[in-house]
Amino acid sequence: PMVSAAGLYVSDAIENHVGNGKFQLLYLSALCLAYGLGPIHTYSNMFASRQPTWHRVCPASAATEQASNATAVSCPTVALTSPADCAVPLDEWEVDTPGRSIVGDFKLECHRHGKVPELGSVYFLGYAVGVLACGNICDMIGRRWAYFLGYAVVGVGGFLAPLASTWTVYACARFMLGAGVASLCLSAYVWAMELLDTSARRIMSWLPSVAFSFGQILATPLAYMVQEWRSFLVWCQLLSLLGVTYWCFLRESP
């Protein structure tokens, strides 16, 4: 039987009058690229927090004492390991290769070592906040602007992280990255889903996960080539922002 156009749902209209043409495939590719490159920050912290090697250095007072008394060696320069050498004050710990890890630059050893796994919790706390907020934001301002807003948060957090001088600032950047990645991923998923007809929506059950996996795999060779953690995070940020370069050419979801 004939069905009036006014009685069609949007998904029925897409299926009956549009189908899955080049327009849908183009949007699916663009949004899945963002789904893969945007979340590259998810596991970037694993490479930024690699375990460094340490050696012991004399504090200023001990160095002065040693210089005045050549026979007294009060603070020998030796290798340090955690937790075996945690009796040595952290002020006397010096990383062998500065700039290779947040563990070395922020001295996250001994009683501060727990701050390293806390960064994962901070990121996914931000992710939870982003997921909870994004649903309402998508309905209020549309999928297109929610997608852009997610990338804006990723942009701030992604450039704040390599500039961080303390663990607290770095943790705030990770929180923002988690919230932004959640927002852009959820809005991209819903956006792509609504542009496909019902026969092709099963693709969305696996394609975003594949794109996400390739994005995470990409971080491994990048970390191998860029050993300095701040530069590595900058490159991760530049790659993740590729998904917003074509945002102005994308149309709003129907």
Side-chain angles (χ1 to χ4, degrees):
M2 296 296 294
V3 180
S4 64
L8 289 173
Y9 291 101
V10 172
S11 59
D12 295 327
I14 291 175
E15 185 170 0
N16 293 336
H17 301 289
V18 180
N20 294 310
K22 295 181 179 179
F23 176 84
Q24 281 74 22
L25 295 178
L26 177 63
Y27 270 62
L28 183 62
S29 301
L31 294 174
C32 281
L33 176 64
Y35 210 100
L37 294 180
I40 196 172
H41 291 287
T42 302
Y43 297 114
S44 62
N45 185 63
M46 291 195 309
F47 300 102
S49 58
R50 68 188 74 181
Q51 185 62 37
T53 55
W54 301 86
H55 62 271
R56 188 178 182 182
V57 295
C58 296
S61 59
T64 302
E65 177 186 350
Q66 184 173 337
S68 61
N69 186 2
T71 60
V73 181
S74 57
C75 181
T77 301
V78 295
L80 296 174
T81 58
S82 176
D85 297 310
C86 283
V88 177
L90 283 180
D91 292 341
E92 299 179 19
W93 288 58
E94 185 169 303
V95 68
D96 292 337
T97 52
R100 295 292 185 92
S101 169
I102 63 169
V103 177
D105 287 4
F106 300 156
K107 292 193 174 182
L108 303 180
E109 289 287 7
C110 299
H111 65 279
R112 289 172 53 85
H113 188 66
K115 291 184 177 294
V116 178
E118 280 181 19
L119 291 169
S121 300
V122 168
Y123 179 89
F124 283 105
L125 177 61
Y127 197 96
V129 172
V131 168
L132 292 173
C134 184
N136 292 328
I137 293 174
C138 280
D139 292 336
M140 289 188 297
I141 65 176
R143 282 62 167 139
R144 184 170 179 266
W145 281 104
Y147 175 87
F148 179 79
L149 179 61
Y151 260 116
V153 177
V154 168
V156 175
F159 284 116
L160 179 62
L163 295 175
S165 58
T166 64
W167 180 90
T168 302
V169 175
Y170 184 79
C172 291
R174 293 295 297 172
F175 180 89
M176 296 181 67
L177 284 170
V181 165
S183 180
L184 74 90
C185 283
L186 183 57
S187 57
Y189 182 88
V190 176
W191 197 357
M193 180 77 78
E194 292 174 345
L195 291 171
L196 298 173
D197 69 22
T198 54
S199 64
R201 289 181 180 175
R202 61 179 179 270
I203 297 175
M204 296 302 293
S205 65
W206 60 268
L207 187 57
S209 298
V210 173
F212 182 91
S213 300
F214 276 107
Q216 306 316 308
I217 293 172
L218 184 61
T220 302
L222 181 60
Y224 180 79
M225 292 184 292
V226 184
Q227 296 286 319
E228 204 274 332
W229 71 270
R230 297 182 189 273
S231 300
F232 167 69
L233 292 182
V234 169
W235 277 105
C236 286
Q237 176 70 347
L238 294 177
L239 285 174
S240 72
L241 292 180
L242 288 177
V244 78
T245 55
Y246 47 78
W247 168 83
C248 59
F249 301 106
L250 302 179
R251 302 176 186 174
E252 179 58 272
S253 168

